Amino acid sequence: METALLVALGLVVGLGIAAFAFFVARPRTAPTDPMADTLADQRIAELGARVQQMGDLLGKAQVQLQTTVNERLDAVTQRLGQSMQTSTQHTVENLQKLNERLAVIDNAQKNLTELTTQVTSLRDVLSNKQARGAFGQGRMEAIIQDGLPKSAYEFQHTLKNGKRPDCVVFLPDQRPLVIDAKFPLEAVTALREGKTDDERKLAAQRVRQDVTKHIVDIAEKYLIPGETQDIALMFVPSESVYAELHDGFDDIVQKAYRAQVMLVSPTLLMLAIQVIQQIQKDARMREAADSIRTEVGVMMKDVKLLGERVRKLQQHFNQSNDDVRQVMISVEKIEKRSDRIAQVELGGGEEEEASNVIAAPIFKIEASNP
């Protein structure tokens, strides 16, 4: 359609050029020549008819062009509407996802705010010595309560010397294992925050003094020969503080070993609780094995007594069989004698009377062995 329109436009332009050339190239004749004027009028009429035809073609082409343009505009408008609708839907979905992510970010922000508050509260707790001790004892109690039954431990147990450690764990030999929580955080924090060698040296000296005092207190107060176990546990409720003591203060750790005091972190305390669980389980199994062994011994005595009684009963049965056999022998002898008496011949009436006596029925005793 566009090609036809271009062709029509080209024809119109060509005819216009031809007409212009005709008028320009037409020889100039005298105005009095009628034939030339007539010929010119005919050519002008023909050219006007052709121009009219080209105008009609141009009008039709313009109508077709307008129709095509309208159709394509409608198609483009429809596609644009669909595209706008799809884009709007995608935009709405993206906005919803964005709102969901913003909600998640808002919740994370709230959690972060709560965590910041908790960290601040924890820092306030750890800055107070009494609160720090309660924190360490609470963590120790949580670990022990999660790992042992209630009958296997006791908090604030009173020893014979009147001392009350934080916790004791009862072992199978009935001697409790003492566990006491200590938290030398201030000295370790000063050591970490020391900027100069002198500050770190003073802080290290303070760490040694504090930890040594804790070790001596536990060894003197809670290690009682014959009443408690030979060792006690000093619970340090921070893995980092425990690692700091082991890495930088080996002399303190060795001193604790010599004093029969073992330093344990939360992880090591959980491992110790697992070992205690296994020890108690083995003790219960040994007690059960002893009980089973006792019951089996009693049962073997009953079985032995039952065997003796069965043997006595067998002797009675054998005696009865022997008595029955002797009776059968006597019966056989009597039968044989009866047969011999029956074979004796007697004369006269006496013979008949004797035969009647002999013919009397003789009962046979039969007995079968049991």
Side-chain angles (χ1 to χ4, degrees):
M1 188 62 65
E2 293 177 355
T3 304
L5 180 60
L6 293 175
V7 171
L9 291 175
L11 289 175
V12 171
V13 173
L15 287 174
I17 293 172
F20 178 77
F22 174 77
F23 282 109
V24 172
R26 186 180 60 178
R28 297 181 179 271
T29 59
T32 59
D33 190 355
M35 292 296 293
D37 294 337
T38 303
L39 182 61
D41 293 337
Q42 290 179 354
R43 290 181 176 178
I44 291 172
E46 291 177 358
L47 183 60
R50 290 181 179 179
V51 170
Q52 183 66 32
Q53 291 177 357
M54 293 302 296
D56 294 338
L57 292 174
L58 182 61
K60 292 180 181 180
Q62 185 176 2
V63 171
Q64 291 180 354
L65 178 62
Q66 186 68 31
T67 303
T68 303
V69 170
N70 291 332
E71 291 177 354
R72 294 192 176 182
L73 284 175
D74 293 337
V76 170
T77 302
Q78 184 178 2
R79 292 179 181 177
L80 182 61
Q82 292 177 353
S83 177
M84 290 293 292
Q85 185 177 2
T86 304
S87 299
T88 303
Q89 184 177 359
H90 290 168
T91 303
V92 172
E93 292 178 354
N94 292 330
L95 287 175
Q96 290 178 352
K97 293 180 180 179
L98 180 60
N99 290 330
E100 293 176 357
R101 293 181 180 179
L102 288 176
V104 172
I105 293 173
D106 190 16
N107 292 330
Q109 182 67 28
K110 291 180 181 179
N111 294 332
L112 183 60
T113 303
E114 293 178 357
L115 181 61
T116 303
T117 305
Q118 293 176 1
V119 169
T120 304
S121 300
L122 180 60
R123 184 175 58 189
D124 295 337
V125 168
L126 296 179
S127 62
N128 189 339
K129 187 174 182 180
Q130 294 180 350
R132 186 168 66 246
F135 171 78
Q137 183 176 352
R139 192 170 185 186
M140 177 197 65
E141 291 178 357
I143 294 173
I144 293 175
Q145 288 174 347
D146 291 339
L148 294 175
K150 292 183 179 180
S151 60
Y153 63 87
E154 183 178 353
F155 298 119
Q156 302 299 323
H157 175 74
T158 303
L159 302 175
K160 291 182 179 180
N161 58 2
K163 303 300 181 180
R164 300 178 65 185
D166 292 335
C167 178
V168 295
V169 177
F170 300 106
L171 296 181
D173 60 355
Q174 300 304 319
R175 290 193 303 164
L177 174 66
V178 175
I179 303 174
D180 200 64
K182 301 296 181 183
F183 203 170
L185 181 63
E186 294 178 354
V188 176
T189 303
L191 177 63
R192 292 175 179 174
E193 295 178 353
K195 297 180 180 179
T196 63
D197 294 338
D198 293 337
E199 291 179 355
R200 286 192 290 270
K201 184 176 180 180
L202 291 175
Q205 184 177 359
R206 183 181 176 185
V207 170
R208 286 187 172 87
Q209 290 177 354
D210 292 347
V211 177
T212 302
K213 183 178 182 302
H214 293 326
I215 293 171
V216 173
D217 290 341
I218 293 174
E220 292 180 352
K221 295 178 181 179
Y222 306 136
L223 291 180
I224 303 174
E227 181 181 357
T228 63
Q229 295 292 327
D230 295 334
I231 63 172
L233 301 182
M234 175 179 165
F235 176 65
V236 180
S238 174
E239 297 288 348
S240 61
V241 173
Y242 176 81
E244 188 74 29
L245 293 176
H246 263 268
D247 291 340
F249 300 92
D250 187 67
D251 55 334
I252 298 297
V253 177
Q254 296 299 326
K255 185 181 292 185
Y257 287 160
R258 289 192 295 270
Q260 300 297 317
V261 177
M262 308 296 293
L263 277 67
V264 294
S265 65
T267 303
L268 292 178
L269 181 60
M270 285 189 286
L271 292 175
I273 295 301
Q274 294 294 326
V275 174
I276 292 173
Q277 281 183 348
Q278 190 63 38
I279 291 173
Q280 292 178 345
K281 182 179 179 181
D282 292 341
R284 290 193 297 270
M285 291 179 63
R286 286 195 298 271
E287 291 177 358
D290 293 338
S291 178
I292 292 172
R293 190 180 297 109
T294 302
E295 294 296 331
V296 170
V298 175
M299 185 178 67
M300 292 302 296
K301 291 180 181 179
D302 294 337
V303 171
K304 184 177 180 180
L305 181 60
L306 178 62
E308 293 177 356
R309 291 178 179 177
V310 169
R311 284 189 290 272
K312 289 181 180 180
L313 182 60
Q314 185 179 9
Q315 292 177 358
H316 289 301
F317 274 115
N318 293 334
Q319 185 66 37
S320 299
N321 289 331
D322 187 63
D323 294 340
V324 171
R325 187 174 59 79
Q326 295 295 331
V327 171
M328 292 302 299
I329 292 173
S330 299
V331 170
E332 290 176 358
K333 290 181 179 180
I334 293 172
E335 289 178 348
K336 290 180 181 180
R337 290 179 180 177
S338 298
D339 291 338
R340 287 198 298 269
I341 292 172
Q343 292 175 3
V344 176
E345 294 181 358
L346 299 176
E350 294 179 358
E351 183 179 355
E352 293 179 1
E353 184 177 357
S355 62
N356 290 333
V357 174
I358 298 303
I362 298 174
F363 296 99
K364 295 183 179 180
I365 299 174
E366 295 180 359
S368 60
N369 292 329

